[in-house]
Amino acid sequence: MNLEIFWFVLIAVLWSGYFLLEGFDFGVGMLLPFLPRDESERQAMFETIGPVWDGNEVWLVVAGGATFAAFPAWYATMFSGFYLALLLVLVCLIVRVVSFEWRSKAKSPRWRAVWTWANAIGSFGASLVWGVGLANLVYGVPIDANGVYTGTFWDLFSAYTVVAGLAVVLLFAFHGATYLTLKTTGDLLARATRAARLLAVPAALVGAAFLIWTVVVAVDRNDKSVFPPVLPAALGIAVLLLALLFLARGRTGLAFTMTSLGTILVVATLFTSLYPRVMVSSTNFADSLTVQSAASAHYTLAVMSVVALICTPIVLLYQGWTYHVFRHRVSSDAPVA
């Protein structure tokens, strides 16, 4: 494996970590207006993700920074072409951040309701746009011979990419519901379990449709063979069905493990379908950006690799310790601040 492939794989791993951790974070946010019955339960839901949500977003920052350093041509084309979409994501993320900080600043029910819905809308919007945006890498966007995006914002939307966005929304909501079954107690736990069971079927069906369609798109638009993209896709469908089965049997811990694997396998399917390209050109396939053509110089990648091998285990240990410290369930019986 050369350094270009190593960094392509590492960026895929970073996106997998982001979908895994921020996925249940977004899922809890989307369920905030619907699951709790009173303010104490709503506060408990916030507390399940309160200590970890900002750390989860580090994976996105690192993924963006790694793309910029390792594949500057990919970064330049994607971030300029997807400018409005990424701006929408940024607005959604900012709204979420503000909702965490401002919601408790006043006890007015109307004030808290506004920021509860702000968190839910921000979580939904970011999930939808991430699904649409990443699916476009495989589906193809207008790129000229100079690596310049020549399309518009609306060129990012097709039947496939919209289904991708909806699949990510449903998968994250399902993932968030299974996370809540491990972090809550009492009536809130019972409703979280019911919500997970209700979301399991649509998440599995739409997720399976998206994964199958991704393999078809990879073959049709990215000159790929059915294998290897079909492998993570088939595994992704299998784990989503297993999540449904485990929920039916009351095995919520295993269900959460399956939704976690499902989010990782969605990213694995996309990146397996994408390689050896990093962006497919829909106007002229020869203008597609490849791992080799978009990469930085060998020396740059070598230095980055040394830094990554030193720093990545430290970050993983720290974040793992954080989840260990806040591993206990959150009760909704505590007084509301």
Side-chain angles (χ1 to χ4, degrees):
M1 179 186 292
N2 59 33
L3 291 179
E4 290 85 356
I5 298 175
F6 171 77
W7 275 96
F8 180 81
V9 172
L10 184 56
I11 288 170
V13 170
L14 292 170
W15 276 106
S16 298
Y18 178 67
F19 267 46
L20 166 63
L21 299 175
E22 194 80 317
F24 68 71
D25 195 334
F26 285 150
V28 172
M30 284 186 271
L31 295 173
L32 274 169
F34 311 106
L35 212 56
R37 294 287 174 83
D38 54 38
E39 182 58 30
S40 62
E41 291 187 348
R42 200 165 289 112
Q43 184 65 32
M45 285 182 64
F46 269 101
E47 290 176 5
T48 63
I49 56 176
V52 297
W53 68 267
D54 48 353
N56 295 344
E57 292 188 351
V58 170
W59 289 80
L60 173 62
V61 176
V62 177
T67 305
F68 171 76
F71 299 100
W74 182 13
Y75 180 93
T77 302
M78 182 170 65
F79 275 68
S80 60
F82 295 7
Y83 181 82
L84 284 178
L86 292 171
L87 181 61
L88 281 175
V89 170
L90 184 60
V91 170
C92 289
L93 294 179
I94 290 173
V95 167
R96 290 186 77 245
V97 172
V98 172
S99 73
F100 281 111
E101 299 299 328
W102 284 14
R103 186 178 178 278
S104 60
K105 298 301 182 184
K107 294 184 178 181
S108 165
R110 180 175 296 181
W111 172 270
R112 293 195 171 190
V114 166
W115 292 111
T116 296
W117 276 100
N119 192 296
I121 293 170
S123 300
F124 172 85
S127 303
L128 181 69
V129 178
W130 280 134
V132 171
L134 290 179
N136 267 289
L137 300 179
V138 180
Y139 188 76
V141 292
I143 303 173
D144 65 17
N146 296 316
V148 177
Y149 179 83
T150 57
T152 67
F153 172 74
W154 301 110
D155 289 323
L156 300 178
F157 295 91
S158 64
Y160 166 69
T161 59
V162 170
V163 168
L166 294 175
V168 170
V169 167
L170 285 170
L171 180 58
F172 283 0
F174 183 28
H175 191 32
T178 59
Y179 173 76
L180 287 172
T181 65
L182 303 180
K183 294 292 292 181
T184 55
T185 62
D187 292 341
L188 183 57
L189 168 60
R191 285 195 295 279
T193 303
R194 285 198 297 271
R197 288 171 178 164
L198 286 172
L199 287 165
V201 173
L205 289 176
V206 179
F210 164 61
L211 289 169
I212 294 169
W213 203 346
T214 298
V215 176
V216 173
V217 167
V219 173
D220 183 50
R221 301 178 70 91
N222 195 27
D223 195 29
K224 295 282 292 185
S225 299
V226 172
F227 186 85
V230 72
L231 180 59
L235 289 173
I237 295 170
V239 299
L240 291 177
L241 293 175
L242 283 173
L244 194 157
L245 176 64
F246 286 135
L247 277 172
R249 296 186 175 182
R251 305 292 296 275
T252 55
L254 288 173
F256 177 71
T257 301
M258 292 302 105
T259 59
S260 299
L261 290 173
T263 59
I264 293 172
L265 288 165
V266 163
V267 178
T269 302
L270 285 169
F271 275 79
T272 305
S273 300
L274 187 58
Y275 182 82
R277 279 155 283 278
V278 292
M279 288 188 77
V280 175
S281 173
S282 60
T283 49
N284 184 356
F285 188 67
D287 294 333
S288 300
L289 300 180
T290 67
V291 169
Q292 299 295 331
S293 66
S296 293
H298 180 82
Y299 180 76
T300 301
L301 295 177
V303 172
M304 289 173 58
S305 299
V306 173
V307 174
L309 290 173
I310 295 172
C311 295
T312 303
I314 297 173
V315 173
L316 290 174
L317 286 171
Y318 176 77
Q319 191 155 33
W321 175 78
T322 302
Y323 276 93
H324 175 73
V325 170
F326 296 102
R327 67 189 182 278
H328 302 294
R329 291 181 181 269
V330 177
S331 173
S332 57
D333 296 331
V336 179

